[in-house]
Amino acid sequence: MTQTRSRFLTVMLTLGLAFFYIPILLLVIYSFNNSKLVPVWGGWSTRWYQELFQSEEVWEAVLLSLQIAVVNATFATLLGTLAGLAMVRFGGFRGRTLFGGMLVAPLVMPEVITGLSLLVFFISLSELIGWPSQRGFTTITIAHITFSMAFVAVTVQARLTGMGQTLEEAAADLGAKPFKVLTAITIPRLTPALISGWLLAFTLSLDDLVIASFVTGPGSTTLPILIFSRIRLGLRPDINAMATIMIIAISICVAIAAILIFRQQQAELRDQQMAFKEEG
Amino acid sequence: MAAIDAFSDTPWLDPAGQKPLVQIKGLTKSFGAFTAIDNIDLDIYQGELFCLLGGSGCGKSTLLRMLAGFETPNGGEILIDGVDMAHVPAYERPTNMMFQSYALFPHMTVEKNIAFGLQQDGVGKSEIKDRVHDILTLVELQDYKKRKPQQLSGGQRQRVALARALVKQPKLLLLDEPLAALDKKLRKQTQFELANIQEQVGVTFIVVTHDQEEAMTLSTRMAVMDAGRFKQIGTPTEIYEFPDSRFVADFIGSANIFEGRVVEDSADHILVTTEACDVFIDHGQSVKIDSRIWVGLRPEKIRIEKSEAAASGPNQISGIVDDVGYLGETSIYKVKLESGQIVDVAAPNQMRPSSNSDRITWDDKVLLSWEPSNAMLLSS
């Protein structure tokens, strides 16, 4: 009985994993396809990679997306952290519940609505005060910050709640003024949450198609917009190549993160052993 | 007498004319509908090691946190060295706190943890170095200054926390369950160390604890707390020997309690009659005749002997041994009285049970007796 059940589970697991990873594998293989038609195999080749690297349009889109992502992640982390601090460390200020609700609303708001409302907002603003005179980098970045800071705020809030207030009280007790407590204790303790919040905001921005399509303007094509517009005219092998490069880049990042986490665990284990020896 | 008092090492024993270091007046703190601290008054003097003793939720930690400035009282005031603390934030108070969890900064070395408070005061670099070195010597951790807190044992962390709180030479050191996280053996050893260090540095300590043995060992005076109020304040001896209520008698050590009625009240003694026996008390306390009262007897202050004879006269009860608990150094005898009440008696084991032919054992008839000064008068 146990035997059959475990076999059943193994099969289901295999199928599940296959469902996730075979498409990605196919995409990678077809990026090395020599044929111009994606579904037709024409032998191995790296010509689409060469074409990709020579395309100025692609490079511009990559650069724009990265710029937006970095600026967005930085501002979102800053604002999200402030919002998280206000929620957890400022006690029951007036309007706290409303603030908390408004803070997480972007998490559940359909992207289409967010994008549309921001577009309307930018247009009316430009008519009223003449800014933004045209849509592009600035408007996309602002739009991204508005929704990704909610993710950072939630991450920071969870970490702040989890780490408690004792260390901050201890610092205040030792004479540290509130700002000093923030810089010497709270921020260093928050660092893991800040890093993951930043990365989350970075990824969200890099990934966003819907909101960016609403608030972008002529000449500002982000990478997802570019991919989507090219795919509309049919599958293209150079897009496969670009996707493959992105997969490799992400894999490298994940591997580095895994190594760092592993090293940290090793260090913690060493500390524990050292402490245990002292108990002796 | 007053002139001598001014130089007294122990002002708390004769407070007349002495200026307390900490004055608490009518202090109240509630969280919503729950009253954590209920209108309390307390004076603590320079050089004291004052213990706040009570069960969980009695308000002892809340009181400590109000002294440190982490909680704002709803009413009353706290004066430290004559200064009202109402509008003084935690970071400007002349107090330092040792936290129950130690609250060492995990991203700093031992040395940096201890230096942190001095840096906030703008103390010069070389002076910081000297003072950190001195305090590490005091707690015997000179060789560990480059370690991170998580690389230390529990006992070492405890000493780092103490050093960090002491290095600023506060007027008042607040310790929240300072020994609770240590194992029993280390705790006993550390109790004495802590008292020694306090004597060396001369800083006034207020210690919160739920452990009565710890409070008895450490304190110059202690307060027994319950439901946000002080039940009794006094030296450990006063509290143990002369508890004034059933709660305190039962909370500190153990006590056999008899309910009775005062039948004689003269200058040198009182006589209380209870269901079990008459109790003659000669330690000078006075209670109105005919009033209802409780009498407490500590198990170790009762003599126990094998005897067929019935009790004759006050301060004697006869009974039958219902159970014997062998604890090594002492044995606890549970003696059943005629009334059905069980009385605990503790007696030292001066001989090994196996070589003691007339040791007291199960179902023996025994006679219990005690000195007239040993019974304690308790209010409800």
Side-chain angles (χ1 to χ4, degrees):
Chain A
M1 184 64 200
T2 352
Q3 271 277 301
T4 50
R5 184 181 290 176
S6 84
R7 190 174 299 154
F8 172 74
L9 290 177
T10 316
V11 171
M12 291 316 280
L13 178 69
T14 316
L15 282 177
L17 289 176
F19 185 75
F20 280 126
Y21 288 102
I22 286 180
I24 294 177
L25 193 67
L26 278 178
L27 185 121
V28 174
I29 292 171
Y30 276 104
S31 74
F32 293 100
N33 186 1
N34 196 17
S35 160
K36 204 172 169 60
L37 298 164
V38 170
V40 182
W41 185 252
W44 295 94
S45 153
T46 54
R47 64 181 270 212
W48 301 114
Y49 287 88
Q50 285 160 22
E51 231 169 75
L52 192 69
F53 283 111
Q54 278 153 13
S55 159
E56 216 166 278
E57 196 188 13
V58 170
W59 279 113
E60 270 173 19
V62 169
L63 210 62
L64 180 68
S65 271
L66 285 177
Q67 277 172 339
I68 291 173
V70 168
V71 175
N72 160 64
T74 308
F75 275 93
T77 306
L78 187 70
L79 295 173
T81 305
L82 293 178
L85 279 168
M87 282 303 290
V88 184
R89 288 291 189 262
F90 282 50
F93 57 89
R94 187 190 291 257
R96 184 178 179 277
T97 317
L98 182 67
F99 180 68
M102 286 168 72
L103 199 59
V104 293
L107 299 182
V108 290
M109 193 75 79
E111 289 190 325
V112 183
I113 308 287
T114 309
L116 183 64
S117 60
L118 280 164
L119 177 62
V120 173
F121 173 71
F122 285 134
I123 289 172
S124 19
L125 206 61
S126 121
E127 274 176 15
L128 267 173
I129 60 169
W131 182 91
S133 56
Q134 60 169 358
R135 292 186 295 283
F137 176 83
T138 316
T139 50
I140 299 174
T141 309
I142 292 173
H144 281 183
I145 292 171
T146 57
F147 79 91
S148 54
M149 72 167 271
F151 288 84
V152 178
V154 170
T155 317
V156 168
Q157 224 174 312
R159 170 81 182 160
L160 277 174
T161 313
M163 71 191 199
Q165 215 165 339
T166 316
L167 289 180
E168 286 154 57
E169 282 179 349
D173 184 66
L174 290 166
K177 294 187 173 63
F179 187 71
K180 181 73 189 174
V181 175
L182 185 73
T183 54
I185 308 297
T186 316
I187 299 292
R189 297 282 294 149
L190 268 181
T191 307
L194 296 183
I195 292 175
S196 58
W198 194 94
L199 287 173
L200 193 61
F202 181 84
T203 321
L204 285 168
S205 166
L206 212 54
D207 189 44
D208 170 66
L209 170 67
V210 179
I211 295 175
S213 328
F214 275 102
V215 297
T216 190
S220 297
T221 311
T222 65
L223 193 58
I225 295 178
L226 179 83
I227 294 174
F228 192 69
S229 62
R230 287 194 176 184
I231 290 293
R232 262 194 305 197
L233 309 171
L235 293 173
R236 289 174 49 143
D238 57 341
I239 297 296
N240 285 353
M242 181 158 43
T244 305
I245 290 173
M246 284 169 81
I247 290 167
I248 291 167
I250 290 166
S251 306
I252 290 172
C253 290
V254 171
I256 289 173
I259 290 169
L260 289 178
I261 290 169
F262 176 74
R263 283 205 183 152
Q264 199 185 344
Q265 280 169 347
Q266 291 291 306
E268 271 168 28
L269 199 66
R270 268 200 306 277
D271 286 352
Q272 273 170 18
Q273 282 166 348
M274 212 188 237
F276 187 72
K277 242 182 246 160
E278 294 300 332
E279 310 271 1
Chain B
M1 193 65 198
I4 299 169
D5 278 350
F7 301 97
S8 167
D9 284 343
T10 52
W12 51 90
L13 298 180
D14 188 9
Q18 298 285 341
K19 190 169 156 285
L21 177 70
V22 181
Q23 290 166 279
I24 296 171
K25 296 176 191 164
L27 197 67
T28 300
K29 173 75 187 176
S30 49
F31 299 100
F34 173 71
T35 306
I37 295 288
D38 190 4
N39 191 21
I40 60 169
D41 299 291
L42 177 67
D43 285 343
I44 294 172
Y45 296 88
Q46 170 61 42
E48 275 205 85
L49 202 166
F50 193 94
C51 281
L52 295 167
L53 178 67
S56 56
C58 73
K60 55 191 195 301
S61 292
T62 308
L63 177 56
L64 203 70
R65 290 175 59 81
M66 281 197 281
L67 285 165
F70 301 139
E71 304 283 356
T72 317
N74 297 100
E77 54 182 353
I78 297 172
L79 277 76
I80 299 178
D81 218 5
V83 182
D84 185 2
M85 289 289 127
H87 300 293
V88 182
Y91 56 87
E92 280 174 3
R93 293 198 181 191
T95 60
N96 281 129
M97 181 147 166
M98 184 181 150
F99 291 79
Q100 183 174 6
S101 58
Y102 308 146
L104 300 175
F105 306 132
H107 56 293
M108 298 183 194
T109 59
V110 167
E111 198 176 21
K112 286 194 174 134
N113 261 284
I114 296 174
F116 186 85
L118 296 171
Q119 284 162 356
Q120 307 314 313
D121 289 357
V123 177
K125 270 210 174 117
S126 64
E127 194 191 333
I128 291 183
K129 213 178 155 198
D130 292 345
R131 282 169 72 174
V132 169
H133 179 264
D134 290 348
I135 203 85
L136 279 172
T137 313
L138 181 72
V139 297
E140 295 173 8
L141 283 173
Q142 308 93 302
D143 302 335
Y144 295 90
K145 59 181 182 186
K146 297 289 179 203
R147 292 263 187 109
K148 291 275 184 73
Q150 50 276 29
Q151 297 170 333
L152 300 174
S153 73
Q156 290 167 338
R157 283 180 213 178
Q158 191 257 0
R159 281 183 281 156
V160 175
L162 181 64
R164 188 179 70 176
L166 271 177
V167 75
K168 291 187 70 177
Q169 296 161 355
K171 286 182 184 160
L172 180 63
L173 189 69
L174 309 165
L175 301 96
D176 190 1
E177 303 272 7
L179 309 174
L182 305 178
D183 61 51
K184 198 175 176 190
K185 199 163 181 191
L186 194 57
R187 194 158 62 219
K188 281 198 165 175
Q189 183 190 330
T190 316
Q191 273 170 18
F192 290 102
E193 267 178 33
L194 197 63
N196 283 342
I197 286 176
Q198 195 260 347
E199 236 166 80
Q200 276 182 52
V201 295
V203 172
T204 308
F205 278 29
I206 299 182
V207 178
V208 154
T209 179
H210 68 277
D211 181 338
Q212 51 141 319
E213 192 188 314
E214 194 173 303
M216 302 282 291
T217 320
L218 286 175
S219 55
T220 56
R221 281 195 307 155
M222 59 202 262
V224 180
M225 284 188 82
D226 183 46
R229 289 173 163 276
F230 294 133
K231 286 288 182 183
Q232 193 175 356
I233 301 172
T235 64
T237 326
E238 281 167 6
I239 300 260
Y240 188 79
E241 303 294 345
F242 299 101
D244 56 14
S245 63
R246 280 162 67 189
F247 178 86
V248 175
D250 208 35
F251 191 81
I252 307 288
S254 52
N256 300 295
I257 292 171
F258 303 95
E259 189 181 343
R261 198 166 53 81
V262 181
V263 289
E264 271 178 47
D265 176 29
S266 71
D268 65 339
H269 75 273
I270 70 168
L271 189 67
V272 179
T273 175
T274 73
E275 200 189 337
C277 65
D278 288 347
V279 184
F280 183 90
I281 302 170
D282 73 350
H283 50 57
Q285 272 171 298
S286 171
V287 185
K288 224 173 74 195
I289 203 151
D290 230 22
S291 49
R292 203 163 144 243
I293 195 111
W294 285 266
V295 174
L297 274 168
R298 297 282 184 204
E300 78 282 4
K301 293 205 165 58
I302 303 176
R303 269 193 306 269
I304 182 168
E305 56 198 323
K306 264 208 264 195
S307 168
E308 296 287 332
S312 59
N315 296 359
Q316 285 191 3
I317 326 177
S318 54
I320 292 168
V321 176
D322 194 51
D323 207 350
V324 183
Y326 175 72
L327 304 183
E329 63 225 24
T330 54
S331 284
I332 303 286
Y333 302 94
K334 294 202 173 281
V335 177
K336 196 171 191 176
L337 308 183
E338 260 171 51
S339 61
Q341 189 178 357
I342 302 274
V343 173
D344 284 3
V345 181
N349 288 320
Q350 286 165 329
M351 292 172 82
R352 289 206 177 111
S354 56
S355 56
N356 186 355
S357 55
D358 49 40
R359 72 198 161 97
I360 299 164
T361 182
W362 279 265
D363 295 332
D364 279 351
K365 280 199 163 171
V366 289
L367 188 65
L368 310 180
S369 59
W370 57 91
E371 294 299 316
S373 61
N374 278 351
M376 313 175 289
L377 282 173
L378 312 169
S379 69
S380 68

